[in-house]
PDB file of all heavy atoms in Angstrom:
ATOM      1  N   LEU A  84     -23.247  92.575  20.748  1.00  0.00           N
ATOM      2  CA  LEU A  84     -22.069  91.816  21.228  1.00  0.00           C
ATOM      3  C   LEU A  84     -21.050  92.759  21.825  1.00  0.00           C
ATOM      4  O   LEU A  84     -20.463  92.484  22.886  1.00  0.00           O
ATOM      5  CB  LEU A  84     -21.460  91.030  20.048  1.00  0.00           C
ATOM      6  CG  LEU A  84     -22.281  89.829  19.573  1.00  0.00           C
ATOM      7  CD1 LEU A  84     -21.747  89.327  18.234  1.00  0.00           C
ATOM      8  CD2 LEU A  84     -22.294  88.728  20.619  1.00  0.00           C
ATOM      9  N   ARG A  85     -20.829  93.888  21.175  1.00  0.00           N
ATOM     10  CA  ARG A  85     -19.911  94.885  21.718  1.00  0.00           C
ATOM     11  C   ARG A  85     -20.415  95.387  23.061  1.00  0.00           C
ATOM     12  O   ARG A  85     -19.632  95.543  24.009  1.00  0.00           O
ATOM     13  CB  ARG A  85     -19.829  96.116  20.791  1.00  0.00           C
ATOM     14  CG  ARG A  85     -18.915  95.958  19.629  1.00  0.00           C
ATOM     15  CD  ARG A  85     -19.086  97.187  18.746  1.00  0.00           C
ATOM     16  NE  ARG A  85     -18.476  96.985  17.455  1.00  0.00           N
ATOM     17  CZ  ARG A  85     -17.194  97.171  17.225  1.00  0.00           C
ATOM     18  NH1 ARG A  85     -16.396  97.587  18.183  1.00  0.00           N
ATOM     19  NH2 ARG A  85     -16.697  96.933  16.017  1.00  0.00           N
ATOM     20  N   ALA A  86     -21.724  95.658  23.139  1.00  0.00           N
ATOM     21  CA  ALA A  86     -22.294  96.190  24.399  1.00  0.00           C
ATOM     22  C   ALA A  86     -22.121  95.188  25.536  1.00  0.00           C
ATOM     23  O   ALA A  86     -21.766  95.568  26.653  1.00  0.00           O
ATOM     24  CB  ALA A  86     -23.773  96.526  24.161  1.00  0.00           C
ATOM     25  N   ALA A  87     -22.346  93.916  25.241  1.00  0.00           N
ATOM     26  CA  ALA A  87     -22.214  92.883  26.298  1.00  0.00           C
ATOM     27  C   ALA A  87     -20.777  92.822  26.781  1.00  0.00           C
ATOM     28  O   ALA A  87     -20.516  92.698  27.978  1.00  0.00           O
ATOM     29  CB  ALA A  87     -22.675  91.532  25.739  1.00  0.00           C
ATOM     30  N   ARG A  88     -19.830  92.936  25.858  1.00  0.00           N
ATOM     31  CA  ARG A  88     -18.422  92.843  26.260  1.00  0.00           C
ATOM     32  C   ARG A  88     -17.994  94.082  27.026  1.00  0.00           C
ATOM     33  O   ARG A  88     -17.255  93.995  28.023  1.00  0.00           O
ATOM     34  CB  ARG A  88     -17.548  92.636  25.023  1.00  0.00           C
ATOM     35  CG  ARG A  88     -16.162  92.212  25.375  1.00  0.00           C
ATOM     36  CD  ARG A  88     -15.388  91.753  24.174  1.00  0.00           C
ATOM     37  NE  ARG A  88     -15.170  92.816  23.212  1.00  0.00           N
ATOM     38  CZ  ARG A  88     -14.473  92.657  22.077  1.00  0.00           C
ATOM     39  NH1 ARG A  88     -13.943  91.495  21.785  1.00  0.00           N
ATOM     40  NH2 ARG A  88     -14.305  93.652  21.265  1.00  0.00           N
ATOM     41  N   THR A  89     -18.465  95.254  26.566  1.00  0.00           N
ATOM     42  CA  THR A  89     -18.089  96.500  27.252  1.00  0.00           C
ATOM     43  C   THR A  89     -18.680  96.550  28.664  1.00  0.00           C
ATOM     44  O   THR A  89     -18.127  97.210  29.537  1.00  0.00           O
ATOM     45  CB  THR A  89     -18.579  97.712  26.425  1.00  0.00           C
ATOM     46  OG1 THR A  89     -18.177  97.501  25.067  1.00  0.00           O
ATOM     47  CG2 THR A  89     -17.991  99.001  26.928  1.00  0.00           C
ATOM     48  N   ALA A  90     -19.784  95.837  28.851  1.00  0.00           N
ATOM     49  CA  ALA A  90     -20.433  95.859  30.167  1.00  0.00           C
ATOM     50  C   ALA A  90     -19.644  95.067  31.219  1.00  0.00           C
ATOM     51  O   ALA A  90     -19.896  95.187  32.411  1.00  0.00           O
ATOM     52  CB  ALA A  90     -21.856  95.290  30.044  1.00  0.00           C
ATOM     53  N   MET A  91     -18.683  94.257  30.790  1.00  0.00           N
ATOM     54  CA  MET A  91     -17.834  93.555  31.772  1.00  0.00           C
ATOM     55  C   MET A  91     -16.979  94.586  32.498  1.00  0.00           C
ATOM     56  O   MET A  91     -16.490  95.526  31.880  1.00  0.00           O
ATOM     57  CB  MET A  91     -16.922  92.551  31.069  1.00  0.00           C
ATOM     58  CG  MET A  91     -17.639  91.349  30.472  1.00  0.00           C
ATOM     59  SD  MET A  91     -16.482  90.315  29.478  1.00  0.00           S
ATOM     60  CE  MET A  91     -15.544  89.474  30.759  1.00  0.00           C
ATOM     61  N   SER A  92     -16.767  94.358  33.798  1.00  0.00           N
ATOM     62  CA  SER A  92     -15.866  95.261  34.530  1.00  0.00           C
ATOM     63  C   SER A  92     -14.411  94.872  34.238  1.00  0.00           C
ATOM     64  O   SER A  92     -14.151  93.758  33.748  1.00  0.00           O
ATOM     65  CB  SER A  92     -16.152  95.172  36.012  1.00  0.00           C
ATOM     66  OG  SER A  92     -15.772  93.895  36.478  1.00  0.00           O
ATOM     67  N   GLU A  93     -13.500  95.755  34.582  1.00  0.00           N
ATOM     68  CA  GLU A  93     -12.073  95.449  34.418  1.00  0.00           C
ATOM     69  C   GLU A  93     -11.709  94.176  35.187  1.00  0.00           C
ATOM     70  O   GLU A  93     -10.942  93.347  34.705  1.00  0.00           O
ATOM     71  CB  GLU A  93     -11.215  96.604  34.914  1.00  0.00           C
ATOM     72  CG  GLU A  93     -11.227  97.836  34.001  1.00  0.00           C
ATOM     73  CD  GLU A  93     -10.680  97.519  32.629  1.00  0.00           C
ATOM     74  OE1 GLU A  93      -9.657  96.802  32.509  1.00  0.00           O
ATOM     75  OE2 GLU A  93     -11.275  97.973  31.622  1.00  0.00           O
ATOM     76  N   ASP A  94     -12.267  94.054  36.386  1.00  0.00           N
ATOM     77  CA  ASP A  94     -12.027  92.891  37.218  1.00  0.00           C
ATOM     78  C   ASP A  94     -12.512  91.605  36.539  1.00  0.00           C
ATOM     79  O   ASP A  94     -11.818  90.581  36.531  1.00  0.00           O
ATOM     80  CB  ASP A  94     -12.759  93.009  38.556  1.00  0.00           C
ATOM     81  CG  ASP A  94     -11.878  93.579  39.611  1.00  0.00           C
ATOM     82  OD1 ASP A  94     -10.771  94.036  39.247  1.00  0.00           O
ATOM     83  OD2 ASP A  94     -12.293  93.562  40.778  1.00  0.00           O
ATOM     84  N   GLN A  95     -13.719  91.668  36.013  1.00  0.00           N
ATOM     85  CA  GLN A  95     -14.282  90.507  35.321  1.00  0.00           C
ATOM     86  C   GLN A  95     -13.410  90.130  34.130  1.00  0.00           C
ATOM     87  O   GLN A  95     -13.170  88.950  33.875  1.00  0.00           O
ATOM     88  CB  GLN A  95     -15.706  90.791  34.842  1.00  0.00           C
ATOM     89  CG  GLN A  95     -16.738  90.795  35.952  1.00  0.00           C
ATOM     90  CD  GLN A  95     -18.096  91.268  35.472  1.00  0.00           C
ATOM     91  OE1 GLN A  95     -18.199  92.177  34.632  1.00  0.00           O
ATOM     92  NE2 GLN A  95     -19.143  90.636  35.963  1.00  0.00           N
ATOM     93  N   ARG A  96     -12.948  91.142  33.422  1.00  0.00           N
ATOM     94  CA  ARG A  96     -12.118  90.843  32.248  1.00  0.00           C
ATOM     95  C   ARG A  96     -10.788  90.216  32.682  1.00  0.00           C
ATOM     96  O   ARG A  96     -10.324  89.258  32.091  1.00  0.00           O
ATOM     97  CB  ARG A  96     -11.847  92.144  31.485  1.00  0.00           C
ATOM     98  CG  ARG A  96     -12.680  92.257  30.223  1.00  0.00           C
ATOM     99  CD  ARG A  96     -12.126  93.316  29.305  1.00  0.00           C
ATOM    100  NE  ARG A  96     -12.474  94.627  29.781  1.00  0.00           N
ATOM    101  CZ  ARG A  96     -13.646  95.199  29.522  1.00  0.00           C
ATOM    102  NH1 ARG A  96     -14.527  94.597  28.781  1.00  0.00           N
ATOM    103  NH2 ARG A  96     -13.915  96.391  30.003  1.00  0.00           N
ATOM    104  N   ALA A  97     -10.203  90.774  33.748  1.00  0.00           N
ATOM    105  CA  ALA A  97      -8.924  90.246  34.222  1.00  0.00           C
ATOM    106  C   ALA A  97      -9.084  88.790  34.673  1.00  0.00           C
ATOM    107  O   ALA A  97      -8.251  87.929  34.373  1.00  0.00           O
ATOM    108  CB  ALA A  97      -8.383  91.109  35.360  1.00  0.00           C
ATOM    109  N   GLN A  98     -10.178  88.517  35.408  1.00  0.00           N
ATOM    110  CA  GLN A  98     -10.424  87.139  35.843  1.00  0.00           C
ATOM    111  C   GLN A  98     -10.652  86.201  34.674  1.00  0.00           C
ATOM    112  O   GLN A  98     -10.172  85.073  34.636  1.00  0.00           O
ATOM    113  CB  GLN A  98     -11.646  87.091  36.761  1.00  0.00           C
ATOM    114  CG  GLN A  98     -11.318  87.493  38.183  1.00  0.00           C
ATOM    115  CD  GLN A  98     -12.559  87.510  39.064  1.00  0.00           C
ATOM    116  OE1 GLN A  98     -13.520  86.792  38.807  1.00  0.00           O
ATOM    117  NE2 GLN A  98     -12.532  88.331  40.106  1.00  0.00           N
ATOM    118  N   ALA A  99     -11.426  86.691  33.685  1.00  0.00           N
ATOM    119  CA  ALA A  99     -11.690  85.874  32.513  1.00  0.00           C
ATOM    120  C   ALA A  99     -10.389  85.611  31.753  1.00  0.00           C
ATOM    121  O   ALA A  99     -10.157  84.487  31.297  1.00  0.00           O
ATOM    122  CB  ALA A  99     -12.703  86.589  31.612  1.00  0.00           C
ATOM    123  N   ASN A 100      -9.537  86.624  31.642  1.00  0.00           N
ATOM    124  CA  ASN A 100      -8.240  86.407  31.000  1.00  0.00           C
ATOM    125  C   ASN A 100      -7.420  85.326  31.693  1.00  0.00           C
ATOM    126  O   ASN A 100      -6.776  84.493  31.029  1.00  0.00           O
ATOM    127  CB  ASN A 100      -7.441  87.719  30.941  1.00  0.00           C
ATOM    128  CG  ASN A 100      -8.024  88.751  30.003  1.00  0.00           C
ATOM    129  OD1 ASN A 100      -8.710  88.386  29.039  1.00  0.00           O
ATOM    130  ND2 ASN A 100      -7.772  90.010  30.281  1.00  0.00           N
ATOM    131  N   ASP A 101      -7.460  85.310  33.014  1.00  0.00           N
ATOM    132  CA  ASP A 101      -6.717  84.311  33.763  1.00  0.00           C
ATOM    133  C   ASP A 101      -7.283  82.910  33.511  1.00  0.00           C
ATOM    134  O   ASP A 101      -6.536  81.957  33.352  1.00  0.00           O
ATOM    135  CB  ASP A 101      -6.767  84.587  35.290  1.00  0.00           C
ATOM    136  CG  ASP A 101      -5.906  85.772  35.683  1.00  0.00           C
ATOM    137  OD1 ASP A 101      -5.090  86.205  34.848  1.00  0.00           O
ATOM    138  OD2 ASP A 101      -6.049  86.256  36.817  1.00  0.00           O
ATOM    139  N   ARG A 102      -8.602  82.813  33.481  1.00  0.00           N
ATOM    140  CA  ARG A 102      -9.232  81.513  33.211  1.00  0.00           C
ATOM    141  C   ARG A 102      -8.889  81.024  31.811  1.00  0.00           C
ATOM    142  O   ARG A 102      -8.597  79.860  31.580  1.00  0.00           O
ATOM    143  CB  ARG A 102     -10.755  81.590  33.351  1.00  0.00           C
ATOM    144  CG  ARG A 102     -11.276  81.896  34.751  1.00  0.00           C
ATOM    145  CD  ARG A 102     -10.908  80.808  35.734  1.00  0.00           C
ATOM    146  NE  ARG A 102     -11.486  79.514  35.334  1.00  0.00           N
ATOM    147  CZ  ARG A 102     -10.868  78.346  35.437  1.00  0.00           C
ATOM    148  NH1 ARG A 102      -9.627  78.282  35.886  1.00  0.00           N
ATOM    149  NH2 ARG A 102     -11.482  77.248  35.068  1.00  0.00           N
ATOM    150  N   ILE A 103      -8.940  81.927  30.855  1.00  0.00           N
ATOM    151  CA  ILE A 103      -8.592  81.582  29.462  1.00  0.00           C
ATOM    152  C   ILE A 103      -7.142  81.072  29.399  1.00  0.00           C
ATOM    153  O   ILE A 103      -6.869  80.054  28.768  1.00  0.00           O
ATOM    154  CB  ILE A 103      -8.842  82.775  28.518  1.00  0.00           C
ATOM    155  CG1 ILE A 103     -10.342  83.005  28.338  1.00  0.00           C
ATOM    156  CG2 ILE A 103      -8.158  82.567  27.175  1.00  0.00           C
ATOM    157  CD1 ILE A 103     -10.723  84.300  27.633  1.00  0.00           C
ATOM    158  N   ALA A 104      -6.280  81.746  30.122  1.00  0.00           N
ATOM    159  CA  ALA A 104      -4.862  81.312  30.143  1.00  0.00           C
ATOM    160  C   ALA A 104      -4.726  79.918  30.774  1.00  0.00           C
ATOM    161  O   ALA A 104      -3.944  79.105  30.305  1.00  0.00           O
ATOM    162  CB  ALA A 104      -4.036  82.347  30.898  1.00  0.00           C
ATOM    163  N   ASP A 105      -5.534  79.643  31.825  1.00  0.00           N
ATOM    164  CA  ASP A 105      -5.504  78.304  32.427  1.00  0.00           C
ATOM    165  C   ASP A 105      -5.889  77.237  31.399  1.00  0.00           C
ATOM    166  O   ASP A 105      -5.237  76.189  31.300  1.00  0.00           O
ATOM    167  CB  ASP A 105      -6.468  78.206  33.608  1.00  0.00           C
ATOM    168  CG  ASP A 105      -6.026  79.026  34.808  1.00  0.00           C
ATOM    169  OD1 ASP A 105      -4.844  79.406  34.858  1.00  0.00           O
ATOM    170  OD2 ASP A 105      -6.877  79.304  35.684  1.00  0.00           O
ATOM    171  N   TYR A 106      -6.975  77.503  30.667  1.00  0.00           N
ATOM    172  CA  TYR A 106      -7.410  76.536  29.642  1.00  0.00           C
ATOM    173  C   TYR A 106      -6.346  76.389  28.560  1.00  0.00           C
ATOM    174  O   TYR A 106      -6.092  75.284  28.058  1.00  0.00           O
ATOM    175  CB  TYR A 106      -8.731  76.978  29.023  1.00  0.00           C
ATOM    176  CG  TYR A 106      -9.944  76.674  29.857  1.00  0.00           C
ATOM    177  CD1 TYR A 106     -10.653  77.680  30.511  1.00  0.00           C
ATOM    178  CD2 TYR A 106     -10.406  75.362  29.997  1.00  0.00           C
ATOM    179  CE1 TYR A 106     -11.763  77.418  31.266  1.00  0.00           C
ATOM    180  CE2 TYR A 106     -11.523  75.076  30.753  1.00  0.00           C
ATOM    181  CZ  TYR A 106     -12.206  76.096  31.396  1.00  0.00           C
ATOM    182  OH  TYR A 106     -13.303  75.811  32.151  1.00  0.00           O
TER     183      TYR A 106
END
Side-chain angles (χ1 to χ4, degrees):
L84 289 167
R85 279 174 193 276
R88 194 169 64 178
T89 311
M91 291 173 75
S92 68
E93 287 298 318
D94 265 10
Q95 285 173 323
R96 257 195 283 276
Q98 278 177 27
N100 290 334
D101 287 348
R102 295 297 299 140
I103 288 170
D105 290 343
Y106 281 108

